[in-house]
Amino acid sequence: MRPFLKAVAAVGFFTELVATSNCPYLGHAACSSPAQRHFLVLWQQRIRCWLCNNITADLAAEGVKLLKELVSLDLDVTADGRITRPWLGACIPPYLLAMLATTRAVRLQPWKVYRFGLQLLQRCSYDSSTFFSRFGVTPEQLAYVFGLIGQRYGSDADMPKVQGLEHLAVSTALAEGLSGRVWDAPLVIDVGMGLGADA
């Protein structure tokens, strides 16, 4: 794409647009930080190439930075952790996309982060077609992912007993200065949230 067309596309992408609940899809004031802009540029590259692993890794890394910024925002929440009106003026879509991006290539965030994202979606009531035209995913797809991984969980007293023999085998190997065999290690269950989340 020629430089002029890239500039026009960028202006169109970052144009002010507000959902019926007054949540901005993107806005110059709300989404002006370099980190947010950089993340959204990477996200546009991601839409053009869903299978490009290098973009996924970069996007996930930038997503972690955005989520740290989200945590540092001095915006109130209610006693039960729900968002308050000042959140509606924040640059919410990049944070929602960051939550989705961090389900890939990096370890998941605490479940409360994704539950919070679900609340943002419910509060903002984004129009599906408008949201999709901007970000290549729908609010419903995000809600589906956040609903799956945003469930409350806690440690179970019986969890250390699971695969006790495998844990013992690895501990014994390490104590003897051996690396241990892969098939002796405890089973890792991977809840695949990769391409399935885009389907």
Side-chain angles (χ1 to χ4, degrees):
M1 187 181 288
R2 294 181 179 180
F4 174 75
L5 294 178
K6 285 184 178 179
V8 171
V11 170
F13 184 69
F14 290 112
T15 299
E16 182 78 37
L17 190 63
V18 177
T20 54
S21 56
N22 291 325
C23 292
Y25 289 87
L26 287 173
H28 292 293
C31 306
S32 58
S33 79
Q36 292 167 338
R37 293 285 178 124
H38 181 54
F39 179 84
L40 290 168
V41 168
L42 281 175
W43 186 263
Q44 286 299 294
Q45 294 175 13
R46 172 72 171 163
I47 291 175
R48 291 193 292 270
C49 185
W50 287 104
L51 299 178
C52 295
N53 290 331
N54 60 325
I55 296 176
T56 301
D58 291 345
L59 193 60
E62 292 300 315
V64 171
K65 293 179 186 177
L66 269 191
L67 292 184
K68 288 181 179 178
E69 182 185 324
L70 173 69
V71 172
S72 69
L73 289 179
D74 189 21
L75 297 176
D76 290 333
V77 294
T78 62
D80 59 351
R82 295 186 175 278
I83 65 171
T84 53
R85 181 157 292 280
W87 280 98
L88 303 185
C91 192
I92 293 177
Y95 295 119
L96 293 171
L97 298 173
M99 291 182 201
L100 178 62
T102 54
T103 65
R104 311 135 188 275
V106 293
R107 71 190 312 172
L108 293 175
Q109 305 300 310
W111 63 271
K112 290 183 179 180
V113 172
Y114 301 104
R115 187 183 66 172
F116 192 69
L118 196 54
Q119 293 172 6
L120 291 174
L121 285 168
Q122 291 168 344
R123 185 72 187 269
C124 287
S125 301
Y126 289 110
D127 176 75
S128 296
S129 60
T130 303
F131 198 94
F132 181 81
S133 69
R134 294 255 159 169
F135 307 113
V137 293
T138 66
E140 291 79 14
Q141 286 173 309
L142 295 178
Y144 173 73
V145 174
F146 299 161
L148 285 177
I149 59 180
Q151 300 296 319
R152 180 189 300 271
Y153 66 85
S155 58
D156 190 317
D158 292 327
M159 285 177 66
K161 302 174 188 175
V162 176
Q163 296 187 278
L165 291 176
E166 289 85 352
H167 283 284
L168 180 61
V170 171
S171 299
T172 302
L174 292 175
E176 296 174 355
L178 304 174
S179 61
R181 297 179 302 175
V182 172
W183 48 86
D184 288 334
L187 175 68
V188 175
I189 299 175
D190 179 8
V191 180
M193 293 306 300
L195 293 178
D198 306 323

